[in-house]
Amino acid sequence: MDKATFKIWRGHAGDGAFETFETDVWHGMVVLDAVRAIQAEQAPDLGVRWNCKAGKCGSCSAEVNGMPRLMCMTRVREMGMDKPITIEPLHTFPHVRDLVTDVSWNFDVKKRIKPFTPAPRDADGSWTMAQSDVVRPQEFRKCIECFLCQDVCHVLRDHRRYDDFVGPRYLVHLAQLEMHPLDTGDRLDELRTEHGVGYCNITKCCTKVCPEGITITDNAIIPLKERVVDRAYDPLRKLVQIVTKKPARS
Amino acid sequence: MASYERRSFDVLVIGAGGAGLRACIEAAAAGVTVGLITKTLLGKAHTVMAEGGIAAALANVDERDSWKVHFADTMRGGQYLNNWRMAELHAQQSPDRVRELEAWGALMDRTDRGKILQRNFGGHAYPRLAHVGDRTGLELIRTLQDHGVHQGIEVFNEYTVTRLLKDGGRVSGCFAYDRNKGSFIVFEAKALILATGGVGRAYRITSNSWECTGDGHSLAYEAGADLIDMEFIQFHPTGMVWPPSAEGILVTEGVRGEGGVLRNSEGRRFMFDDIPPLYRDQTADTEEEGWRYVIGDRDARRPPELLTRDHVARCILREVREGRGSPHGGAFLDISWIREKIPSSEEHIRRKLPSMYHQFMQLANVDITKEPMEVGPTTHYVMGGVRVDADTQMSTVEGLFAAGEVAAGLHGANRLGGNSLSDLLVFGKLAGEHAADFAKRRGTVSLDEGEIDLAAREALAPLDRRGEGVGGEGPYQVQFALQDLLQEKVGIVRDAERVTAALHEIQGLKARASGVAVNGSREYNPGWHTALDLKHMLVIGEAAARAALTRTESRGAHTRDDHPGKDPEWGKKNVVVRRSSTGEMEVDTIPCPVIPEHLQQIIREQG
């Protein structure tokens, strides 16, 4: 049987080093299989977060050969077996142990976003929505919250703007709410201010790493930026506001 | 004595899948304090993997559907071992529970008239499953999560409960550890809801997530609650069989709902060869009639691929055993053939079954729009679980409630696809409502310090043993041995000899589990966590084996080679497993609740 070598980051709260392991590679093996095999045979306390091993829960996010990926959907052979495959925890979040990071900041961010607020129901107690109107937000609702987009985003990863930028995951969430056919909420002012949509300079790294293939930048972030610009910076609108003496909403 | 933090809630929910979240939302709405403990992160529970849809008689696609038809379908699918009252409540309330999801932001696929679209599924007379492509579970859990986080519920992410604590005869809290820190926490609760899901990880081949280790079943058992129907474990007929890395991963029944057919190595649609008498009148005679059903011809009957899961799984097993299987020991599931019927079939398949397309491309290099998939049975769902009162979801132990997969009764001997997500919503809500009510009526609770101390010592034992140099066996080896054992001897087809041997071997595994030692620290140490999970999985294994040995007939998901037929006497009884006063597992039977006349009439009318 073929063998592959893995260099896995081990340590506590930021302190650590790569440890090298070798394991058999079987047909169709994914990186998470290798990590579990190493756990079972060589390092029982190797810390790793995973649940479904089917690409649906978004738990086993890590950086494999430097790329943010789901370990359960990354085939070992795709990574090339001629040199060691490196596995590191996500860099953008505080390190807990081995491959595990503390992603709780993400959950806190979501709580700060104005929740879904539906329009009144039809007379029969349900709602009517055309399939063509739900397709757009449905793309955003495919998100499995693996936070790979948050990990790769330089505004968070390099510039550490955790306090004034919500990151691509939550711009997708906001786009889903803003484009939801039933939602009556308005989040454009917060998008410009506390959610920090302006920090995104559309490098599209988030779109590239999304395991669900969500076109994050083009379909979610850019339309949000356009809506914010229309609201806050449209000169014609500004003029109308001055003439009618209505205060600008933003 | 180990140190621990202490917290107190009116209602404490263990498990953050669909049932747990729905229970929390309901309890919070009743104005009590609510705590939610989850082994994983919020939104990652096994519910997220559900694919096909939520069964509810909305009658948006076929107006002949009603709660009565749904009720009759559920009872027939469960071979009448179901708790009729649960089946009635479920069928009546699931439409409202689905519409409520829309009020919280869910976006399900639509009909031409803009209402919730419903699809065909095995055992359902009409298109009944509300869905979003093949990622319905994600939609459900995300909707409940996003709504739930604004309801004042306190969430304990990545905490694991190891023991329930009692105050006399009543449950009044639990003992847990924090995965990240390894520290202990004791929860006081006036009412506790188990919503811990299933047991699939006790088997080698399973569609279940890592966390489905039967914790709730075992916690309830240890606390003295009755478990029923533990012999009924559903093997979903279509799991991936190749490559080995993907073995067991679910292939949604939606593939068959959209026209996918099963063939053997000779190219024969073998599902036509064996149609159970209970379903003969509802099943298509020809391939042509089956296809007409798929495309919505109301006069056509269901293709045999949409028979119930227990039956389809057995048919696949038969083909494999008789030498007509696929190269890797399964059968061929083909959706690509619909190109003969639909001009833009490739696009159609990718739109209707996006995750299946992606899953097979990524993991098996198979393009399902062009070639068949190889599929075989995978451990999917446990019909058995905590015996509950149908209206309140309270177990046989006061203060302890259960909802969702950990509870038993709704599905009887076999669950219909789509009835699980609706189960979570209907009974999650009822459990939340009644637990809150119970908590309001209950005075203060007190905990037994001796019990807490025992729980702490028990939790630390695998780490304490690391220095002793005894045993030396790691937890994973014992887990693998149990998984292999249950797969081989308490699997799809059972007989007295093999199940008896399994029971004997489980005793040996218990001894091995009690000697397991783990190294490393208490911070995020999966070896330690696995060592603690072993206790639960061993209870599951023993309960399944004892119940399987007791039921000397074949019915639903329980197939006995040595008792191949259905026995009418067994059709009136549920098998109960409980912990005796001496700590041994005892088995008993109870009569099924008698179906009242007006519901019997509905069953007769629906033929």
Side-chain angles (χ1 to χ4, degrees), chain B residues 503-556:
Chain B
L503 278 168
H504 181 71
E505 287 179 49
I506 286 170
Q507 296 310 317
L509 288 173
K510 279 188 191 169
R512 281 170 67 184
S514 62
V516 156
V518 293
N519 63 0
S521 72
R522 281 167 68 171
E523 290 168 318
Y524 222 108
N525 183 342
W528 181 35
H529 308 151
T530 303
L532 297 179
D533 289 344
L534 285 175
K535 182 181 80 172
H536 304 313
M537 287 186 276
L538 284 161
V539 168
I540 298 308
E542 185 175 352
R546 289 201 188 278
L549 194 60
T550 305
R551 184 173 287 277
T552 48
E553 66 155 355
S554 293
R555 181 183 297 269

Side-chain angles (χ1 to χ4, degrees), chain B residues 92-161:
Chain B
Q92 287 173 337
Q93 298 183 4
S94 51
D96 279 345
R97 295 290 81 76
V98 171
R99 284 190 279 264
E100 185 173 73
L101 290 178
E102 290 210 300
W104 298 338
L107 276 176
M108 280 166 278
D109 289 346
R110 319 305 297 178
T111 64
D112 293 340
R113 293 181 298 114
K115 295 297 176 190
I116 296 171
L117 181 62
Q118 298 179 273
R119 69 157 46 121
N120 290 316
F121 238 57
H124 293 282
Y126 302 115
R128 189 177 283 148
L129 270 67
H131 62 277
V132 186
D134 52 7
R135 58 161 189 84
T136 315
L138 171 65
E139 188 69 15
L140 187 148
I141 201 167
R142 194 70 77 234
T143 300
L144 294 176
Q145 174 193 346
D146 290 357
H147 180 70
V149 296
H150 296 286
Q151 310 306 313
I153 299 153
E154 189 169 349
V155 182
F156 295 84
N157 273 312
E158 296 190 315
Y159 281 66
T160 305
V161 175

